[in-house]
Amino acid sequence: MYIRQLTVEHLKRLRTFTLDFTHRGQPRLWTVLIGENGTAKTTILQAIALAAAGYKEVSGLAGSTVKHLSDRRGEKRMSIDATFSFGPRSLKGGRAIHPPLPVTVGANPLKLFLRSQVSLEAGSTSLDASAFYGSKPPKPKEHPSDPLADARATNTPLWFVAGYGISRALPDALEIPTLARPSIERLEPLFRQMRLVSTGFANHFLEKDRKEGRKLGETSRRFSRMLNQAVKLGGSDLFPGLARLELRGKGGTRSSTLLIESDRFYQVMARDQEPVAIAGVALSHGYQSTFAWIADLIGHVLLESKTELDTTDMEGLVLLDEIDLYLHPTWQARFIPALRRVFPNMQFVATTHSPIVLSSLAPHEIVRLVVDEQTGDIVQGGWARGDGRFRPGIQDTEHQPDPRLMTGGELYRTWFGLEGVTPNPLGEKLRRLQILSTHPASTAVQRRELKKLRAEVRKEFIQRLGSVEGKKAFEEFDASRGSTR
């Protein structure tokens, strides 16, 4: 499944909000949401997840968050309206993947769209939902069942949507996830803290082997192969310094505990030396967190797949909160290009607070969210074609500045609104103070400016850090700059 369009009404601070996820008529495979804290980035990911859940599961997925979904500024009906389409492998599946298909749509499967609607009446704590093929709800006699609910109830392959919140870690070897409803459980991390299955699929792969008549351990071996394929395709951009991994050797594993606890990460420590085997729990948190969700994604796709596949064959939608989590800026700059190589047919909708992440994105792949000061609503912002100024309410992503051409300072200024040479709010004053303090032959006017500026900066240090710490910090700064006073 790919998201094409999302419209929400009265969802938190999104009073009436529409977001297009297409580019030149096709689903846009990368969309990165940026904006200050509280601009509904995570809320948009949750809205897509709820729209992808189906009416039987949507209230359970929302859980206790349902009481916080409606706009608190008035008793209004909350609604989510999303349009999805399907990838080539899904479309080829025909009625086996899309039961029941309307005859008119089935004749031209390339135009197969799924529309999903979720609503919450004012004062209610239970979500209503429905989904159907096409643009208009069918009459009951024509199409009595709900295709999305049917797909989720049977974990139908190639309806894949996964969500990852900010709690991402390798699993505990002593906790084996149940995965009673995998198509919904893989969306739950967007709504509450949960351990990912990640490398803990072995027991479930064994059950899959039994049901599908394979040699026990075969799916685990496929999993290991796909993880190593991801490491190879992504290279040092995906996992810097990671040469390969081994999941209990070539024979695969029949135990989640063995899979999780065995040494399996081979990391390059020094040039011209053999990689060193390290247990996953010994890796840095950045490696653990990143590997956890990538392994989880591959494992979930493999769990529902009926055939062997490569990471480059994988189709579906990934909702990823804070894609830059725990990543050093040099890793951030290379991470998305690596994901494009590993998962060229997966659609990603991600959020970030990092300007560095944007450096590898095309202009149309970025959505900047801002607060409309007149209404208090969260809206998309963009650059006006006439004067080129950034304004709330403009939804033109095709004519935005190109972040791939920008320096770090330009990324901060253009996309994150940090004006001036330095991000530090006091930066410009400190720079001027340094220049005046070390001037070899200052004039009387410059000395008066220096005296005034020193007093202003000293006052701001005290206001920001407190009386004692502020005075101490200013004195240290003043001394370090060789002040002539």
Side-chain angles (χ1 to χ4, degrees):
M1 289 177 67
Y2 299 138
I3 181 73
R4 296 183 64 89
Q5 188 173 67
L6 176 73
T7 298
V8 299
E9 292 185 351
H10 306 293
L11 176 62
K12 298 185 179 180
R13 293 181 67 179
L14 299 168
R15 193 186 302 271
T16 301
F17 181 86
T18 297
L19 195 55
D20 186 12
F21 292 91
T22 65
H23 177 58
R24 297 177 180 174
Q26 298 299 319
R28 185 173 58 231
L29 293 186
W30 273 92
T31 299
V32 176
L33 309 176
I34 66 171
E36 295 182 13
N37 294 92
T39 50
K41 299 184 297 296
T42 302
T43 300
I44 291 172
L45 299 185
Q46 291 176 335
I48 298 172
L50 292 173
Y55 79 85
K56 296 178 182 179
E57 301 283 0
V58 65
S59 289
L61 176 61
S64 61
T65 63
V66 69
K67 60 185 177 183
H68 305 296
L69 294 176
S70 296
D71 191 337
R72 295 299 180 89
R73 293 171 294 180
E75 293 294 319
K76 300 287 186 179
R77 177 179 180 270
M78 185 280 293
S79 66
I80 300 169
D81 192 332
T83 301
F84 298 93
S85 59
F86 298 89
R89 293 179 63 233
S90 178
L91 292 172
K92 288 180 181 178
R95 293 181 183 273
I97 301 297
H98 301 280
L101 269 174
V103 176
T104 54
V105 177
N108 189 1
L110 293 180
K111 293 184 179 180
L112 181 63
F113 295 150
L114 179 82
R115 188 170 174 187
S116 176
Q117 298 176 327
V118 180
S119 64
L120 180 65
E121 299 296 337
S124 176
T125 57
S126 180
L127 292 163
D128 294 318
S130 64
F132 45 86
Y133 294 117
S135 59
K136 296 181 179 180
K139 297 178 181 179
K141 291 183 180 180
E142 295 177 352
H143 190 186
S145 65
D146 185 311
L148 180 57
D150 293 345
R152 295 294 175 239
T154 57
N155 295 304
T156 304
L158 299 172
W159 289 65
F160 189 88
V161 184
Y164 299 102
I166 60 172
S167 180
R168 306 197 279 266
L170 289 171
D172 187 329
L174 300 178
E175 296 180 7
I176 299 174
T178 57
L179 284 182
R181 298 149 39 248
S183 63
I184 297 300
E185 290 172 78
R186 58 177 172 250
L187 292 170
E188 289 182 339
L190 281 174
F191 295 85
R192 43 199 158 269
Q193 287 194 350
M194 294 185 62
R195 279 193 175 273
L196 305 182
V197 182
S198 191
T199 53
F201 280 98
N203 292 46
H204 303 287
F205 289 159
L206 282 176
E207 184 62 26
K208 178 180 176 67
D209 290 338
R210 291 190 185 96
K211 287 183 177 179
E212 298 179 6
R214 294 192 188 91
K215 180 180 178 181
L216 295 184
E218 177 61 30
T219 305
S220 285
R221 282 188 285 272
R222 293 180 179 181
F223 184 45
S224 179
R225 180 189 63 78
M226 292 177 71
L227 289 174
N228 275 291
Q229 182 187 32
V231 171
K232 183 178 179 180
L233 288 175
S236 61
D237 296 340
L238 188 69
F239 296 112
L242 185 63
R244 68 183 187 277
L245 58 110
E246 185 178 292
L247 305 183
R248 292 294 295 173
K250 297 180 181 179
T253 179
R254 298 186 182 186
S255 164
S256 286
T257 302
L258 290 174
L259 181 64
I260 293 167
E261 290 183 341
S262 61
D263 286 347
R264 60 195 179 282
F265 295 89
Y266 287 78
Q267 193 168 20
V268 177
M269 297 295 186
R271 186 181 300 172
D272 300 325
Q273 292 184 12
E274 286 296 315
V276 177
I278 299 175
V281 293
L283 292 171
S284 74
H285 206 68
Y287 277 89
Q288 288 192 46
S289 173
T290 305
F291 188 85
W293 76 259
I294 290 176
D296 189 89
L297 171 61
I298 293 173
H300 269 289
V301 171
L302 185 58
L303 184 67
E304 72 171 28
S305 177
K306 301 298 183 183
T307 60
E308 188 168 3
L309 73 164
D310 295 332
T311 63
T312 52
D313 298 323
M314 291 167 52
E315 295 176 0
L317 170 60
V318 180
L319 309 171
L320 184 60
D321 208 2
E322 297 193 24
I323 190 173
D324 55 296
L325 193 65
Y326 305 121
L327 304 187
H328 186 276
T330 57
W331 193 352
Q332 294 176 24
R334 309 195 303 263
F335 191 52
I336 289 180
L339 291 175
R340 291 185 199 265
R341 295 196 299 273
V342 178
F343 306 112
N345 293 306
M346 296 294 289
Q347 183 185 38
F348 287 82
V349 180
T351 74
T352 189
H353 288 118
S354 171
I356 307 302
V357 168
L358 306 191
S359 63
S360 62
L361 296 171
H364 66 270
E365 295 175 322
I366 306 171
V367 173
R368 182 174 169 185
L369 302 167
V370 295
V371 178
D372 186 327
E373 295 181 355
Q374 300 297 320
T375 65
D377 298 337
I378 305 299
V379 298
Q380 184 178 343
W383 283 262
R385 295 197 189 187
D387 56 18
R389 291 185 178 182
F390 181 85
R391 290 192 178 90
I394 296 177
Q395 295 181 300
D396 182 6
T397 59
E398 299 294 330
H399 296 85
Q400 298 188 124
D402 195 333
R404 296 169 296 187
L405 311 178
M406 294 180 177
T407 64
E410 289 169 338
L411 286 168
Y412 272 101
R413 182 175 62 254
T414 305
W415 290 99
F416 288 81
L418 284 169
E419 299 295 341
V421 178
T422 67
N424 184 348
L426 277 176
E428 296 305 307
K429 289 185 178 180
L430 295 179
R431 286 168 61 87
R432 181 61 179 167
L433 184 59
Q434 181 185 18
I435 293 171
L436 294 174
S437 297
T438 57
H439 198 291
S442 58
T443 65
V445 173
Q446 289 171 329
R447 288 192 291 272
R448 285 195 296 271
E449 181 185 355
L450 172 61
K451 182 178 180 180
K452 180 181 178 182
L453 189 56
R454 283 188 73 253
E456 290 178 2
V457 171
R458 183 175 184 274
K459 182 178 179 181
E460 290 201 43
F461 264 83
I462 292 172
Q463 288 177 340
R464 293 174 184 273
L465 302 178
S467 179
V468 176
E469 290 298 321
K471 289 177 182 178
K472 182 180 178 181
F474 175 74
E475 289 171 359
E476 290 177 351
F477 168 79
D478 214 16
S480 70
R481 296 300 181 263
S483 173
T484 60
R485 305 197 177 190

